[in-house]
Amino acid sequence: MTVANGQQVLTQLLPLKKIQPNTGQIPGLPKNPRIIRDARFLKLKKSIEDFPQMLELREVVVYPHGKVYVCIGGNMRLLACRDLEYSDIPAKILPPDFPIERLREFAIKDNVNFGEDDVTLLTE
């Protein structure tokens, strides 16, 4: 995948200890606005346990920040994998010079739920 300035976005397995949730530690990027609790968090963990290969299809998106990476997309999956005691997780790594405005835009758009669920289809 290619992004701004024609740079490649790498995908690799990263140690979870090198990935931090987005808590607002990057200047100009607000902290992740999503939260997940109780039953929904348990469902997410169960989903990952039942189909761990899904993580290879929906990697977390990270940005290098000092000696670690900050999760820009997939913070809830990151937290679930930590709780499941995973040692590493597939991640798309954005280039270090990825513009902060685009990081902000991605973080906001990644956390917007545009659609709605058809409960009938989900229960079939």
Side-chain angles (χ1 to χ4, degrees):
M1 169 187 241
T2 313
V3 292
N5 303 328
Q7 293 183 330
Q8 289 290 110
V9 174
L10 303 174
T11 300
Q12 71 183 66
L13 211 53
L14 289 178
L16 275 176
K17 64 184 176 187
K18 292 193 86 173
I19 305 173
Q20 298 177 348
N22 176 10
T23 59
Q25 65 272 58
I26 298 174
L29 182 67
K31 74 179 195 171
N32 182 48
R34 306 275 293 195
I35 57 172
I36 189 168
R37 296 187 194 119
D38 309 326
R40 293 188 107 185
F41 188 63
L42 293 175
K43 282 183 184 180
L44 176 58
K45 285 175 38 178
K46 176 85 169 113
S47 172
I48 291 170
E49 286 178 311
D50 290 347
F51 188 17
Q53 298 84 358
M54 180 81 170
L55 294 171
E56 295 173 30
L57 300 171
R58 292 273 307 199
E59 311 97 326
V60 295
V61 177
V62 299
Y63 178 75
H65 184 65
K67 295 183 179 186
V68 297
Y69 297 91
V70 174
C71 187
I72 306 300
N75 278 274
M76 300 305 105
R77 277 177 276 138
L78 173 66
L79 296 176
C81 287
R82 278 194 176 161
D83 208 57
L84 291 168
E85 298 182 355
Y86 275 48
S87 58
D88 45 48
I89 188 172
K92 284 196 182 306
I93 305 171
L94 296 171
D97 63 346
F98 198 77
I100 193 70
E101 305 82 36
R102 299 301 278 185
L103 279 178
R104 247 182 101 87
E105 181 180 358
F106 178 83
I108 291 167
K109 289 181 177 181
D110 188 55
N111 285 299
V112 173
N113 186 359
F114 288 108
E116 56 187 86
D117 294 331
D118 182 336
V119 179
T120 307
L121 291 175
L122 291 173
T123 57
E124 291 181 350

